[in-house]
Amino acid sequence: MSALLVRDVMTKSVATVPPDLGYREIVERLVERGISALPVVGDDGAVLGVVSEADLLHKVQFNGADVHAGLFERRRARQAKEKATGETAAELMTSPAVTVAASATLTAAAQLMERHEVKRLPVLDDDGKLVGVVARSDLLRRYLRSDDDIRFDVIDGVLGRVLWLDPMDVAVSVSSGHVTLIGKVDRRSTAEIAARLVRGLDGVVGLTDELEWGFDDTTVQHRYTFDA
């Protein structure tokens, strides 16, 4: 029932560029690979930044116009003009690069992409070396798991190994990633834990929770008495 990690879905064959590679050569590599960004890697293997189509398009945006950056211009506008005059990966790249650890969860990777508004992330190992690239489309692979595999994780993992429930007490069905739980457990807290764990399983796109419980232990008031 182990969750997928970035290392499980990333692309391991990574195209990179050195910091001194020229503008035209960068464009050629992007087009040849059919990708939108490339990590810029130094001689020591460290990721220095990422050069993307957006970085390259600043030259098209200004199209030879005067790109002198004004003193009081906003930072983003100033950077755009600087990149419009750039000719090498080091001058064009966005740095520092937003990276993710190979051991990170897919949720953590998705949050990084959303926070930094990027479509892909260089993946680093424990030593900080580049080992892959993970894209938005890679994160969606978790939803390609078969219904049979999901059902096995629910029954064997959640109900059996975690909650120690008798599989006969809960009927589990899965259709196109949507899980339905029907049955009765001893406590309300057990039912709530089961639902939360099932929703977090790889491949689950939705849950119909029809679990009942015999005892509502979430409303119990604990009282403590002390001897004089």
Side-chain angles (χ1 to χ4, degrees):
M1 198 184 69
S2 57
L4 290 174
L5 302 177
V6 169
R7 67 164 65 95
D8 300 318
V9 301
M10 69 182 185
T11 299
K12 297 179 181 178
S13 177
V14 187
T16 64
V17 296
D20 60 350
L21 193 69
Y23 185 100
R24 179 178 294 180
E25 288 75 17
I26 297 171
V27 174
E28 289 175 348
R29 294 198 186 184
L30 289 174
V31 173
E32 288 171 359
R33 291 270 181 163
I35 55 180
S36 60
L38 289 162
V40 182
V41 178
D43 294 336
D44 60 354
V47 178
L48 305 177
V50 173
V51 61
S52 69
E53 291 174 336
D55 296 319
L56 300 174
L57 282 172
H58 292 306
K59 194 175 292 293
V60 179
Q61 176 185 352
F62 292 99
N63 195 27
D66 179 15
V67 290
H68 177 71
L71 180 62
F72 299 106
E73 280 188 307
R74 291 184 178 181
R75 181 169 176 267
R76 178 172 293 184
R78 201 162 55 246
Q79 288 179 335
K81 288 185 175 182
E82 290 171 355
K83 290 184 180 182
T85 63
E87 295 184 26
T88 66
E91 296 168 338
L92 295 160
M93 69 184 183
T94 297
S95 180
V98 181
T99 62
V100 67
S103 58
T105 64
L106 302 192
T107 298
Q111 290 171 344
L112 275 173
M113 289 181 184
E114 175 69 20
R115 187 181 312 133
H116 296 279
E117 299 181 343
V118 295
K119 298 179 180 180
R120 60 184 65 226
L121 298 168
V123 182
L124 308 183
D125 63 13
D126 294 337
D127 297 322
K129 302 301 182 183
L130 183 68
V131 292
V133 170
V134 64
R136 290 176 177 175
S137 57
D138 296 322
L139 301 184
L140 297 177
R141 292 183 190 175
R142 66 180 297 183
Y143 296 108
L144 297 180
R145 300 185 69 216
S146 71
D147 290 344
D148 288 341
D149 286 344
I150 296 171
R151 186 171 185 274
F152 176 82
D153 274 358
V154 174
I155 296 174
D156 182 73
V158 174
L159 303 181
R161 297 178 184 273
V162 177
L163 298 178
W164 289 29
L165 295 176
D166 186 335
M168 300 301 293
D169 292 339
V170 180
V172 179
S173 61
V174 185
S175 177
S176 298
H178 188 99
V179 178
T180 299
L181 303 177
I182 301 175
K184 187 172 183 178
V185 296
D186 56 349
R187 295 175 296 177
R188 179 175 181 174
S189 62
T190 300
E192 292 177 349
I193 292 171
R196 184 171 67 251
L197 292 177
V198 169
R199 286 191 181 95
L201 290 176
D202 288 327
V204 174
V205 300
L207 172 66
T208 298
D209 179 10
E210 297 185 7
L211 289 179
E212 300 177 348
W213 57 85
F215 173 60
D216 187 354
D217 58 334
T218 63
T219 61
V220 174
Q221 296 292 327
H222 295 284
R223 297 181 179 180
Y224 299 91
T225 58
F226 300 88
D227 294 332

